[in-house]
Amino acid sequence: MKKLLTALKRCVVLGAAALAIVSLQPVSAAQAAERVVGGTRAAQGEFPFMVRLSMGCGGALYTQQIVLTAAHCVGSTGPNTGITATAGVVDLQNSSGRVQVRSTYVYRAPGYNGTGKDWALIKLAQPINLPTLKIATTTQYNSGTFTVAGWGANREGGAQQRYLLKANVPFVSDAQCRSYSGYSGLVANEEICAGLPSGGVDTCQGDSGGPMFRRDASNAWIQVGIVSWGIGCARPNAPGVYTEVSTFASAIASAASSL
């Protein structure tokens, strides 16, 4: 999610039981409901690993029974049956092919305090029979052009969307990202920036926890980031900030094996 005045995580609270965990520049994520800005509709089945979470965040199937999302989207580690994962459709109102499964457990990154380490796992009550999204285990793919997708807003301050949107955003180096106003707190080796200098294309509130991905050497999708925060949505010189998945790949694998 992006930072509006002070940095704001990109999730949206959709119910009293849902939690919005703010970053070290905290503003309630409940202030905005948003999605991919400057994007186009994804085709049915184009990104079958995409998951919509009932607290107003996105995610991706790490395994058929575990969703990888952002730490700021969930509460503390432990049993949790209050989250519903929706998958199998790009249109959230389309009941044909839609799969909805409740959570049983949440694992939030150890040491998460709003700065960096913005990843979490949600175990589902039963597997979802859809393709999973593998994650990067090295920095090999942490550059180039990435794809982002989500059901968040299509403009800053906008509303949650019915259809899954997709967009492409280019890599922004740590040095360049830190040079922008509000980004000096970027956590090296834990976060990665992406976006156009001119703005216009970006993730936004409601996209938190969703994947940032690209093609690997075998032309398969591989996840390199998790939507985390930013300044506003699609503003010039204000890229999106994503959890650098490769940094936490071993920890994610270890946590998943214990669930």
Side-chain angles (χ1 to χ4, degrees):
M1 181 182 175
K2 280 207 145 187
K3 299 181 177 184
L4 287 178
L5 303 174
T6 53
L8 123 78
K9 297 291 187 184
R10 292 191 165 171
C11 66
V12 177
V13 175
L14 295 183
L19 295 177
I21 311 300
V22 294
S23 70
L24 85 154
Q25 307 90 357
V27 174
S28 171
Q31 290 179 340
E34 310 169 53
R35 159 187 190 170
V36 171
V37 180
T40 58
R41 279 193 197 179
Q44 179 62 36
E46 186 173 5
F47 308 122
F49 44 77
M50 289 294 301
V51 174
R52 182 64 176 169
L53 300 170
S54 57
M55 82 290 280
C57 284
L61 289 173
Y62 176 74
T63 72
Q64 291 188 326
Q65 200 167 353
I66 296 175
V67 176
L68 177 60
T69 187
H72 75 263
C73 287
V74 303
S76 58
T77 296
N80 186 320
T81 59
I83 301 169
T84 299
T86 299
V89 291
V90 295
D91 177 358
L92 295 177
Q93 295 182 23
N94 182 6
S95 60
S96 177
R98 183 175 64 196
V99 179
Q100 293 186 304
V101 182
R102 301 288 285 186
S103 62
T104 61
Y105 196 90
V106 163
Y107 183 94
R108 189 168 67 182
Y112 173 73
N113 63 3
T115 307
K117 300 179 177 61
D118 196 7
W119 65 270
L121 298 174
I122 299 173
K123 185 174 182 179
L124 304 177
Q126 60 194 48
I128 294 177
N129 188 25
L130 287 170
T132 59
L133 178 60
K134 65 180 178 179
I135 66 172
T137 57
T138 72
T139 60
Q140 178 182 359
Y141 299 109
N142 289 3
S143 61
T145 299
F146 309 114
T147 298
V148 291
W151 288 271
N154 59 3
R155 61 181 177 83
E156 187 173 318
Q160 292 279 300
Q161 300 292 302
R162 170 179 172 176
Y163 298 98
L164 180 68
L165 285 183
K166 63 178 180 178
N168 292 328
V169 287
F171 169 74
V172 176
S173 70
D174 287 350
Q176 183 63 46
C177 195
R178 282 201 184 100
S179 73
Y180 296 133
S181 176
Y183 290 80
S184 60
L186 183 77
V187 183
N189 302 319
E190 291 191 10
E191 297 178 323
I192 182 171
C193 298
L196 296 165
S198 58
V201 180
D202 199 4
T203 48
C204 203
Q205 280 70 51
D207 291 321
S208 275
M212 179 173 75
F213 47 101
R214 54 160 290 176
R215 296 289 188 179
D216 66 9
S218 301
N219 202 40
W221 290 120
I222 188 167
Q223 182 172 359
V224 297
I226 300 169
V227 179
S228 185
W229 62 271
I231 304 290
C233 297
R235 298 181 186 181
N237 300 322
V241 180
Y242 302 80
T243 302
E244 191 169 312
V245 170
S246 61
T247 297
F248 303 104
S250 294
I252 290 169
S254 177
S257 67
S258 71
L259 296 182

